[in-house]
């Protein structure tokens, strides 16, 4: 089971969500400087994310490319459910209105997130452990 992504890993995921799939060099060019990473650090973070199941690795014309293993809305919904349960001790979800104004989610994604969060939690929707 994959662990909860840390803040640096979330930055990698944001880059991948906005571009579908990227090479390690492309990820580095997008976020490496802001993170204060060398190129080798970027590659190490991405490989650890592959090992954790957060990122999928593929090859296109011999070049390794990476894509987020989960859709943005799916991962966010799991993180929200985990947070509300662990931190707030609430079995329900926060209202999706808490996310309006997010630069990360567009209107369609907010609607989809609302549908997911309103649905009862199932073992498959909480498939990852966030300990």
């Amino acid at each position: 089971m994959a662990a909860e992504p840390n803040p640096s890993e979330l930055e990698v995921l944001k880059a991948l969500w906005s571009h579908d799939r990227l090479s390690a060099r492309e990820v580095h060019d997008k976020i490496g400087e802001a993170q204060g990473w060398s190129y080798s650090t970027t590659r190490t973070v991405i490989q650890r994310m592959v090992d954790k199941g957060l990122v999928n690795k593929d090859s296109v014309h011999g070049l390794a490319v990476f894509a987020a293993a989960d859709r943005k809305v799916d991962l966010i919904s799991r993180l929200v459910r985990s947070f509300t349960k662990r931190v707030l001790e609430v079995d329900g979800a926060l209202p999706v209105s808490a996310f309006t104004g997010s630069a990360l989610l567009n209107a369609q994604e907010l609607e989809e997130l609302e549908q997911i969060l309103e649905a009862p939690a199932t073992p498959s929707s909480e498939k990852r452990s966030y300990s």
Side-chain angles (χ1 to χ4, degrees), residues 30-48:
K30 295 195 180 313
I31 68 165
E33 185 176 330
Q35 295 294 313
W37 294 346
S38 67
Y39 176 64
S40 64
T41 300
T42 302
R43 289 178 48 92
T44 299
V45 170
I46 293 170
Q47 185 55 54
R48 287 183 182 158

Side-chain angles (χ1 to χ4, degrees), residues 4 17 28 35 67 91 101 117 119 126:
E4 183 174 322
W17 286 327
H28 182 74
Q35 295 294 313
D91 282 331
L117 292 177
E126 295 180 350

Side-chain angles (χ1 to χ4, degrees), residues 38-64:
S38 67
Y39 176 64
S40 64
T41 300
T42 302
R43 289 178 48 92
T44 299
V45 170
I46 293 170
Q47 185 55 54
R48 287 183 182 158
M49 293 177 73
V50 169
D51 296 342
K52 290 168 73 173
L54 294 169
V55 169
N56 295 326
K57 180 180 180 180
D58 201 4
S59 180
V60 175
H61 304 292
L63 178 66

